[in-house]
């Protein structure tokens, strides 16, 4: 696979192609192909001219849902290529559409052979990851049917049926088998013999349409890239250009002019990415919704934590995103016990998957509830939406879901019996169930993973905030002052308990003057210096003196790299700048911290943090990736990429919006 790639994303479908517009069928951390509902519906798509791969004159850029490439067959200075190919590709829902315009460059008649090799392996995304796991598929069969205008690929395994149809206009001159002639080989080559008069042109149109298992039938799809561009622009314009986006006034000397300019660019890019990352979902009554999919390539689906935080960041500017997310999360809220999915009544979902392996229970993620924080974040967002919009209709509609979520926090969540929200490692799923959900991310200072019923610090802050906000809804919307008082009392007791158990005083055994990352099952605090402490400012669970001390500490060089705050402070044994959660820098993590700094009126620290992160964004075309490496900022060198980052990614896309809110915010009562 060529290094340069292009990414097309639309309505829960994405395609990863190389600079030429081809697909090789790669695996590992960066697979290519066209993906729908967690399956690869196109695994080979390779164009040749007269039997050879053309050279790239103009590579495709990273468009929203379409891209254009200019190609030529091999030539020399003395014998330039006889033709030029203008290749345009676009994605819409479950269809990849393409036009290939062949233009003769010579003043004589020529014959050009165009071939496109195609295949569909229907591989589940979980199989493509480089974790060395394999999955048995008893009885699975793949087939290909040749038709006059193209091909039909099919996949069957028991009750699981998927298909991909390739159609072409004009029809191919012939269809040939490529590679071995074995029964398992479904790759085919569509071939056109084009007779071109002098300086004439010919155009081929191809459509690749996925028929994904469990998806509603696709209807009225555009059949050319031009149609896709028009439809996509029309659909996205209300989101990208709808409600005005207030930005800092460069004349306002309380906000640096350069910062205001960078914010404007990053916010515009973030909103454009949020528009393209929307995926279909359904509400409690089956109504159609569009919610933020977490990110490409691995997480283009509804995630409880990711979608809730993304919606919170965007709430002042795009409140409709929060409304859709709340309804989709309510619709997937657990109603019973399913231990293999960590489901418990009232718990909000961690992620939703539609793939083959989830369908057959080979991975637990069809509806997976291994998250300790999705439930309190749902409650935080529910109140914030009502407060921001002034419209309590959604809160009124979801009262039952909110009460069930609170019940989960006190009962199965552990708040009533243990005093904190806790989780235990899930052998078939996630060992850690907070936002730092990679194995080993919640660790002691020597790098040892915590065990038992783990209480992570930030989840207690979310719970505190959720109780206070839900009490407000109980009093003002649901007219239940008695319940409101009980929730407020529980929040006050949690705050007192937390500051007693989690705060590691300076001069103590850990000599920190900083919150513990977590408590293990025996109540032992992990004195690891971690960015999670910054989330406690956002939730308000710390008293003012301690909150300000944490805010100042997070801007010291071992935490703040110059680009952003690291997940772990450097210099500790577990720190690694290229670790997913033990030293890297996450934009959304920094966004939460910035909102917390602003809550306590720490304007200088807020703007320092925002400036660093926005400077990093400028190196990525104003698009923040999911995560960047934790190396310190050096003169003349941009941020070091994290090699496996999702981009675009929803809560990174909404981070500039949170930064905008933070730099504009004044002091808020705690």
């Amino acid at each position: 696979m060529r290094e340069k790639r292009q990414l097309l994303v639309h309505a829960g479908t994405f395609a990863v192609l190389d600079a030429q517009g081809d697909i090789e069928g790669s695996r590992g951390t960066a697979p290519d192909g066209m993906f729908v509902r967690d399956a690869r519906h196109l695994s080979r798509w390779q164009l040749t001219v007269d039997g050879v791969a053309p050279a790239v004159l103009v590579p495709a850029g990273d468009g929203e849902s379409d891209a254009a490439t200019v190609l030529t067959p091999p030539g020399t200075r003395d014998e330039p290529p006889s033709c030029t190919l203008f290749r345009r590709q676009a994605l819409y829902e479950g269809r990849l559409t393409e036009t290939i315009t062949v233009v003769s460059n010579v003043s004589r008649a020529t014959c050009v052979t165009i071939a496109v090799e195609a295949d569909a392996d229907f591989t589940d995304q979980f199989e493509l990851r480089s974790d060395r796991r394999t999955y048995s598929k008893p009885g699975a069969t793949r087939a290909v049917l040749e038709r006059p205008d193209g091909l039909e690929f099919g996949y069957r395994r028991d009750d699981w049926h998927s298909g991909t149809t390739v159609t072409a206009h004009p029809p191919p001159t012939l269809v040939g088998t490529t590679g071995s002639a074995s029964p398992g080989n479904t790759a085919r080559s569509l071939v056109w013999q084009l007779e071109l008069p002098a300086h004439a042109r010919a155009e081929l149109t191809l459509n690749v349409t996925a028929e994904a298992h469990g998806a509603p039938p696709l209807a009225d799809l555009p059949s050319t890239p031009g149609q896709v561009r028009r439809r996509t622009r029309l659909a996205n314009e209300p989101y990208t250009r709808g409600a005005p986006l207030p930005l800092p006034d460069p004349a306002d000397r309380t906000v640096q002019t350069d910062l205001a300019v960078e914010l404007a660019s990053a916010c515009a890019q973030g909103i454009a990415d949020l528009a393209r990352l929307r995926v279909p979902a359904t509400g409690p009554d089956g109504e159609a919704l569009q919610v933020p999919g977490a990110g490409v390539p691995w997480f283009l689906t509804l995630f409880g934590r990711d979608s809730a935080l993304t919606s919170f960041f965007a709430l002042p500017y795009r409140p409709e995103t929060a409304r859709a997310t709340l309804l989709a999360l309510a619709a997937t809220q657990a109603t019973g016990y399913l231990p293999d999915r960590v489901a418990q009544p009232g718990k909000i979902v961690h992620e939703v998957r539609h793939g083959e392996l989830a369908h057959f229970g080979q991975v637990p993620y069809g509806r997976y509830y291994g998250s300790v924080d999705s439930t309190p974040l749902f409650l935080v967002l529910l109140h914030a939406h009502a407060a921001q919009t002034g419209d309590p209709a959604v809160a009124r509609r979801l009262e039952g879901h909110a009460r069930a979520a609170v019940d989960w926090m006190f009962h199965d969540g552990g708040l009533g019996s243990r005093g904190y929200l806790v989780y235990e490692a899930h052998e078939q799923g996630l060992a850690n169930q907070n936002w730092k959900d990679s194995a080993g991310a919640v660790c002691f200072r020597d790098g040892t993973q915590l065990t038992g019923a783990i209480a992570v610090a930030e989840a207690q802050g979310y719970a505190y905030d959720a109780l206070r906000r839900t009490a407000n809804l109980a009093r003002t919307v649901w007219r239940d002052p008695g319940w409101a008082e009980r929730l407020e009392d529980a929040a006050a007791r949690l705050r007192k308990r937390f500051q007693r158990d989690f705060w590691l005083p300076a001069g103590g055994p850990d000599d920190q003057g900083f919150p513990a990352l977590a408590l293990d099952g025996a109540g032992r605090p992990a004195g690891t210096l971690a960015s999670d402490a910054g989330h406690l400012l956002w939730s308000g669970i710390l008293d003012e003196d301690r909150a300000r001390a944490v805010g100042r500490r997070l801007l010291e060089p071992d935490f703040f790299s110059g680009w952003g705050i690291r997940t772990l402070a450097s210099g500790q044994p577990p720190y690694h700048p290229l670790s997913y959660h033990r030293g890297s820098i996450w934009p959304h993590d920094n966004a939460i911290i910035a909102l917390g700094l602003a809550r306590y009126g720490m304007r200088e620290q807020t703007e320092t943090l925002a400036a660093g992160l926005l400077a990093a964004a400028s190196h990525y075309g104003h698009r923040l990736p999911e995560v960047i490496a934790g190396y310190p900022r050096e003169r003349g060198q941009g941020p070091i990429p994290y090699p496996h980052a999702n981009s675009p990614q929803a809560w990174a896309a909404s981070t500039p919006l949170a930064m905008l809110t933070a730099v504009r915010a004044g002091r808020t009562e705690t």
Side-chain angles (χ1 to χ4, degrees), residues 51-109:
V52 297
V56 179
L57 289 184
V58 180
D62 187 10
E64 292 188 8
S65 58
D66 63 276
T69 311
V70 182
L71 311 164
T72 64
T76 66
R77 182 171 58 184
D78 295 327
E79 295 185 21
S82 62
C83 66
T84 301
L85 283 72
F86 296 85
R87 189 179 196 182
R88 293 175 173 84
Q89 297 168 301
L91 191 70
Y92 192 92
E93 294 186 6
R95 171 175 285 180
L96 176 69
T97 184
E98 174 170 337
T99 58
I100 303 169
T101 303
V102 185
V103 178
S104 171
N105 296 328
V106 295
S107 57
R108 67 179 186 277

Side-chain angles (χ1 to χ4, degrees), residues 127-276:
E127 295 178 87
L128 293 173
R129 298 193 189 190
S130 58
D131 57 8
R132 297 181 177 83
R133 282 182 288 183
T134 58
Y135 301 89
S136 64
K137 293 185 169 185
T141 59
R142 288 171 53 208
V144 60
L145 173 66
E146 298 176 11
R147 45 188 279 173
D149 63 347
L151 301 164
E152 290 183 9
F153 298 98
Y155 177 80
R156 289 180 175 269
R157 177 186 170 194
D158 197 18
D159 63 340
W160 182 272
H161 306 154
S162 293
T164 300
T165 301
V166 179
T167 58
H169 179 79
T173 307
L174 61 94
V175 177
T177 301
T178 64
S180 69
S182 64
N185 177 31
T186 56
R188 296 292 185 272
S189 187
L190 307 175
V191 182
W192 291 263
Q193 300 282 353
L194 302 179
E195 301 288 343
L196 293 178
H199 296 295
R201 65 174 55 205
E203 184 169 280
L204 310 176
T205 301
L206 298 96
N207 284 292
V208 182
T209 307
E211 294 115 32
H213 182 88
L218 298 173
D220 190 31
L221 295 178
S223 56
T224 68
Q227 293 175 8
V228 170
R229 282 194 296 274
R230 288 189 290 273
R231 283 208 202 177
T232 303
R233 189 181 305 116
L234 186 64
N236 287 348
E237 190 166 8
Y239 193 88
T240 57
R241 302 183 186 275
L245 182 65
L247 291 168
D249 181 357
D252 180 0
R253 297 190 182 279
T254 63
V255 177
Q256 300 172 30
T257 300
D258 290 346
L259 180 61
V261 172
E262 292 296 329
L263 264 174
S265 299
C267 285
Q269 181 62 59
I271 285 180
D273 284 336
L274 289 176
R276 68 195 293 219

Side-chain angles (χ1 to χ4, degrees), residues 408-486:
W408 174 82
M409 288 203 302
F410 280 102
H411 298 136
D412 293 304
L415 196 56
S417 58
R418 296 179 178 270
Y420 297 113
L421 289 185
V422 298
Y423 66 85
E424 297 191 49
H426 181 215
E427 186 175 349
Q428 291 76 39
L430 295 172
N432 287 310
Q433 295 170 23
N434 61 326
W435 84 264
K436 293 178 176 175
D437 59 5
S438 58
V442 181
C443 59
F444 290 103
R445 295 190 73 182
D446 64 358
T448 306
Q449 167 70 33
L450 274 66
T451 59
I454 300 169
V456 289
E458 76 276 10
Q460 316 317 317
Y462 303 161
Y464 169 76
D465 198 21
L467 291 172
R468 293 187 70 197
R469 289 175 178 269
T470 306
N472 181 273
L473 290 176
R475 181 171 283 109
T476 62
V477 178
W478 304 324
R479 305 302 178 190
D480 190 344
W483 193 42
E485 290 178 9
R486 292 193 295 276

Side-chain angles (χ1 to χ4, degrees), residues 266-358:
C267 285
Q269 181 62 59
I271 285 180
D273 284 336
L274 289 176
R276 68 195 293 219
L277 286 170
R278 290 178 295 177
V279 300
T282 55
D285 297 325
E287 65 270 39
L289 304 167
Q290 286 187 313
V291 300
V296 179
W298 299 119
F299 306 117
L300 194 59
T301 186
L302 175 69
F303 270 71
R305 175 193 307 120
D306 300 54
S307 298
L309 283 172
T310 297
S311 300
F312 186 94
F313 294 167
L315 179 57
Y317 317 105
R318 295 298 183 270
E320 64 272 28
T321 299
R323 178 185 181 275
T325 295
L326 286 165
L327 294 175
L329 294 179
T332 53
Q333 186 176 31
T335 57
Y337 291 97
L338 292 170
D340 59 330
R341 298 188 180 188
V342 205
Q344 296 155 342
K347 199 174 186 183
I348 296 298
V349 75
H350 170 66
E351 68 181 284
V352 177
R353 294 288 183 175
H354 306 284
E356 173 191 359
L357 298 181

